[in-house]
Each structure stands twice: as structure tokens, then as C-alpha cells.
Amino acid sequence: MDNSPYNRAWSSIPGRPSFPGPWGNICKVSRAFANYDTDLDLLIKGVLGNGKSIRFWLDLWIGMEPLMARFPNLFKLESAKNYFVADRIASTSYGSTFTFTWNRLPTTQQKTDEYSSMLGLIDTARLSSSGDKWCWDLDQINSFSVKSIKKKLEAQVLFLAWRANLERLPTLASLAKRNIQVPSLLCPFCGLDVETPDHIFVSCSTAQGVWDAISDWCRLPGIYLFGVQNIFRTPEFLHGSSKWKKIIHAILCSTVWILWKTRNNKIFNHKLKL
Ligand SMILES: [Zn+2]
């Protein structure tokens, strides 16, 4: 049970595990990491430029945690929780000014205390004309924990990854090839093409939506996939430290695992519409 006063429904991921669509899947990936005490959202930090793509309350960009977590009582009063830093801060040569849209003004001692500490914290923030950037702050997790997350997560998906690589996943197309009767060969997500590993994990519009959301969430330049084997090799082509690449690799593996589980649920239990 989460007793923190700020509402966990607000996260940098616009969705929940039970939601249909790609962001619901990303929540599941994120929760898989949370089981190993790693909050991925705290590893991705915004570096302030013009403040137009960093969300003031929801993203981590100043201090050690998102402002919604540091100032939970104040966050409750905010009427526009998704607003960007540029909506809240304006910088001139004399310094920065702040604009808020409260549901109610912060009046209790606790809230006014939070308000003054928040102003103290953001007072140093200056907008510039360049675009915002994102960086991964991996200092707070050591190599050992990266190794153990990777090991635990990959143990779940290794078998699947191996099978997908060898195109031996029991997809509808491969079952039919082995003369096992299936009601339809078509992909259970889109119904437009024969269900092969390359289709469900790469070319299906559902998979593409999930990969786009993953690259958005992890602030990757874009994940371009040409086949299943490509997924697991993606980190080799990205620029970054080996620790970061290991985390990205684990995220990609988890995503494949969750897509496959969602597909199984859809076929066998008619659950989770995508
Ligand atoms: Zn499809």
C-alpha cells in the first residue's frame, strides 16, 4: 500500500497498467523495474532549456525527485498538473517570475511552508532559448544493482527472447505450419496480417505504438526495428555508457515479454483490449 500523500496516479507515464494502449504496457514495464526497487522515472532527468517539453510537476528536472513528490500538498492544489516548466516560469534578464493556477490558494502552515521551499528551490531555474534535453542519471544505482536487475528481468524473458530470435515462438503461423489447427492465422491485435514474430513484435501497429511510447518515455532518439532480432541488438547502436545500455536492453526485453503476455491474454482469456 502506498501511503505517500501525492497521488501515484500522476506519473511521468500517462497511463496505468490496466489501461488499453501502449502506455498501459509501459506502466507494466516500469512496474517490473519497481519490483526491484528501481524507479526508472528517477533515472531520467530533464536538463532545462526553454522549458517547453519538461512538465513542471511530473518530470524530474530540479532536485532529486519530481516536484509533485517533494511538495505533495501543493501539488494537490495545482489545477493544471500536466503543465510544462515554461507555463510556470518566465525568465528575464532581472531573474525569473512564476505563475501558478491553484484550485485554492495555499493557506495552511504546511502548504505555505511547501510553497516557500519550492520557490527557494526553483528560484535558481533559468529558461534559455535552446530546447530542453534529457539525461539518464545512473549514479544513484551501482553496477551491482544494474547487474541484478538485468539478471532477474532477463531470467523471465530469456527463454522468450531465445525463441523469438530463432523464430520458434508458437505464433499462429508457426502452429499452422506444424499442422496444428488454429481458428485464424491473423494477428489478434490488428487482424490485418498473419501472426509471425516479426509481425507481432515489430510491424504490427500495436507493437509500433508500444515502441514509440517506449522511446518517448526513455527519451531515446527513436527505435527503428526491421525484425525481431533487431530488438535485442538496439542498444549496440545507441550512444551511452554500458550501464545505461544494459538498462535499455532490460527494458526492451521486458517490453517483448509484456507484448507476448498481452497477446496470450487476448487469445486465451479475451482480456486486455489493445
Ligand atoms: Zn497486428
Side-chain angles (χ1 to χ4, degrees):
M1 176 95 182
D2 183 2
N3 290 319
S4 63
Y6 82 95
N7 187 349
R8 283 295 300 183
W10 285 100
S11 109
S12 61
I13 301 172
R16 290 189 207 181
S18 56
F19 280 15
W23 287 106
N25 284 296
I26 309 265
C27 277
K28 289 176 207 146
V29 175
S30 173
R31 294 273 167 98
F33 278 80
N35 289 339
Y36 305 118
D37 296 326
T38 302
D39 189 343
L40 286 173
D41 289 341
L42 296 185
L43 302 181
I44 305 172
K45 189 166 185 174
V47 182
L48 197 59
N50 58 20
K52 289 183 178 167
S53 59
I54 298 174
R55 286 164 310 167
F56 183 85
W57 292 100
L58 308 184
D59 293 323
L60 170 64
W61 62 279
I62 194 163
M64 303 298 289
E65 56 192 337
L67 294 177
M68 68 170 172
R70 176 121 184 229
F71 304 108
N73 296 298
L74 219 47
F75 180 62
K76 279 187 197 159
L77 301 183
E78 168 65 84
S79 65
K81 293 179 165 55
N82 268 320
Y83 269 33
F84 294 97
V85 175
D87 299 315
R88 293 278 164 264
I89 299 182
S91 294
T92 66
S93 48
Y94 304 107
S96 294
T97 54
F98 310 104
T99 315
F100 293 97
T101 47
W102 306 118
N103 285 325
R104 290 188 312 281
L105 283 175
T107 46
T108 62
Q109 184 68 45
Q110 194 183 31
K111 284 168 188 157
T112 50
D113 283 352
E114 280 194 8
Y115 189 42
S116 54
S117 359
M118 187 175 80
L119 289 180
L121 180 68
I122 63 176
D123 192 44
T124 50
R126 295 281 178 278
L127 299 184
S128 69
S129 53
S130 56
D132 299 322
K133 292 195 179 93
W134 297 90
C135 67
W136 279 67
D137 179 9
L138 296 178
D139 289 344
Q140 51 175 305
I141 49 170
N142 57 37
S143 304
F144 177 74
S145 59
V146 172
K147 221 177 186 171
S148 67
I149 293 166
K150 194 172 179 292
K151 214 168 145 189
K152 284 175 186 165
L153 276 172
E154 286 188 352
Q156 284 178 21
V157 297
L158 205 61
F159 182 60
L160 173 76
W162 174 80
R163 291 172 77 158
N165 272 328
L166 294 181
E167 303 246 328
R168 284 173 63 177
L169 266 175
T171 55
L172 298 172
S174 77
L175 292 175
K177 222 184 254 177
R178 278 149 49 195
N179 292 324
I180 297 168
Q181 278 212 329
V182 287
S184 160
L185 289 182
L186 294 179
C187 166
F189 292 135
C190 66
L192 295 175
D193 214 335
V194 171
E195 194 209 47
T196 61
D198 276 344
H199 177 79
I200 45 168
F201 296 123
V202 177
S203 53
C204 180
S205 55
T206 294
Q208 283 176 6
V210 171
W211 294 122
D212 284 349
I214 287 275
S215 77
D216 208 16
W217 170 50
C218 296
R219 316 290 174 181
L220 298 174
I223 301 174
Y224 303 103
L225 302 170
F226 303 101
V228 170
Q229 305 209 10
N230 214 225
I231 299 171
F232 304 105
R233 296 194 58 198
T234 296
E236 292 171 32
F237 305 103
L238 298 171
H239 296 290
S241 70
S242 70
K243 206 193 227 184
W244 177 76
K245 287 183 182 184
K246 279 178 188 156
I247 298 221
I248 297 295
H249 186 262
I251 291 174
L252 298 175
C253 288
S254 305
T255 307
V256 168
W257 173 244
I258 281 158
L259 272 172
W260 182 249
K261 281 209 315 194
T262 310
R263 171 264 188 206
N264 286 344
N265 260 330
K266 196 158 168 68
I267 288 186
F268 302 115
N269 305 326
H270 306 288
K271 273 199 212 157
L272 285 174
K273 273 194 177 164
L274 275 163

